[in-house]
Amino acid sequence: MMVEGLDQFVSYCKRIQPQSPEDIKRFFEGVIGFPYDKELLLQAYLYLNLEKLFPNCSELLLFEKSPIADYTDLGKCDFVYLTSDKKLFLIETKFIDTKASGATERKRRNKHRNKVFEQVITLKNRFSQYWNIQLRELQCGVFTTDSEIDWRGNDMNVVTKSVSIGKLEEWRVARKTRNQT
């Protein structure tokens, strides 16, 4: 059974995220055809492969919106899903350039790795406080192009998944070709 805060949040989402799953799918299919933003392409991959990556997620509640009314200064979450066991699953995505080399790039990658975990944990706590949702009703995930993060979530209770930049590009080309036929 959902707790009252969770019910209120789900109702709120249905008001501010009016797009149907078909509309959202069409949007992401369009991203594949015109990949002008690498982060958005990564998000398209996640959305269109969700069952393989995060099989417990059942219904998209929010995409790129603030979970706390219109307070975008408090952060916005990339994806918020309702799970099959009636919990919230927050997913933050980060395109991390794993192909660039050098000390500056290593430092930048590490900063991005740390930031994506920090973001999702901060959002989890804000959700809990603002919506009066118990922490056990909230789960977190991180999805990146960097397999180095795969082990980092274990100590933080964050589910981590990744796709390599090469596999992401192969998928994009294959999917674009398939969509054109």
Side-chain angles (χ1 to χ4, degrees):
M1 182 173 148
M2 285 196 258
V3 295
E4 185 179 312
L6 189 55
D7 284 335
Q8 288 175 336
F9 178 72
V10 170
S11 295
Y12 164 78
C13 290
K14 292 190 187 286
R15 282 193 316 273
I16 70 159
Q17 185 81 49
Q19 297 92 342
S20 70
E22 295 79 26
D23 291 340
I24 295 168
K25 183 179 181 190
R26 270 193 300 277
F27 168 74
F28 282 124
E29 293 284 356
V31 168
I32 294 166
F34 302 97
Y36 58 90
D37 182 293
K38 292 176 182 180
E39 183 84 16
L40 209 47
L41 180 61
L42 180 67
Q43 291 173 340
Y45 182 92
L46 171 64
Y47 183 81
L48 297 169
N49 292 284
L50 186 70
E51 289 175 14
K52 288 189 287 187
L53 295 165
F54 298 100
N56 199 26
C57 293
S58 59
E59 180 184 353
L60 180 64
L61 297 175
L62 285 181
F63 170 65
E64 286 287 348
K65 291 202 184 298
S66 172
I68 303 168
D70 289 323
Y71 298 108
T72 53
D73 58 320
L74 297 176
K76 59 184 177 156
C77 196
D78 293 338
F79 292 94
V80 179
Y81 282 93
L82 189 62
T83 65
S84 52
D85 56 351
K86 304 300 179 209
K87 294 181 181 178
L88 293 182
F89 199 95
L90 317 176
I91 304 173
E92 281 296 311
T93 60
K94 191 73 175 162
F95 186 95
I96 299 173
D97 187 355
T98 55
K99 293 183 176 185
S101 60
T104 302
E105 290 303 320
R106 279 194 303 276
K107 194 179 282 187
R108 180 177 289 131
R109 269 193 298 276
N110 209 38
K111 180 180 173 189
H112 287 166
R113 289 172 184 143
N114 293 336
K115 184 176 180 179
V116 73
F117 282 104
E118 180 185 308
Q119 283 176 302
V120 79
I121 290 167
T122 299
L123 280 168
K124 178 180 180 177
N125 290 324
R126 287 185 180 149
F127 261 89
S128 176
Q129 291 168 357
Y130 186 83
W131 289 100
N132 194 27
I133 299 172
Q134 296 184 26
L135 287 173
R136 71 176 188 278
E137 301 293 324
L138 292 160
Q139 298 169 319
C140 297
V142 165
F143 183 62
T144 72
T145 52
D146 183 5
S147 63
E148 289 290 315
I149 62 105
D150 287 354
W151 58 271
R152 288 186 178 209
N154 296 342
D155 296 337
M156 297 181 237
N157 201 23
V158 175
V159 179
T160 57
K161 301 286 181 168
S162 63
V163 62
S164 71
I165 293 171
K167 292 270 187 226
L168 180 61
E169 184 57 23
E170 287 173 22
W171 171 82
R172 185 192 69 78
V173 169
R175 187 85 183 219
K176 183 178 176 187
T177 303
R178 190 177 88 197
N179 288 347
Q180 292 173 341
T181 56

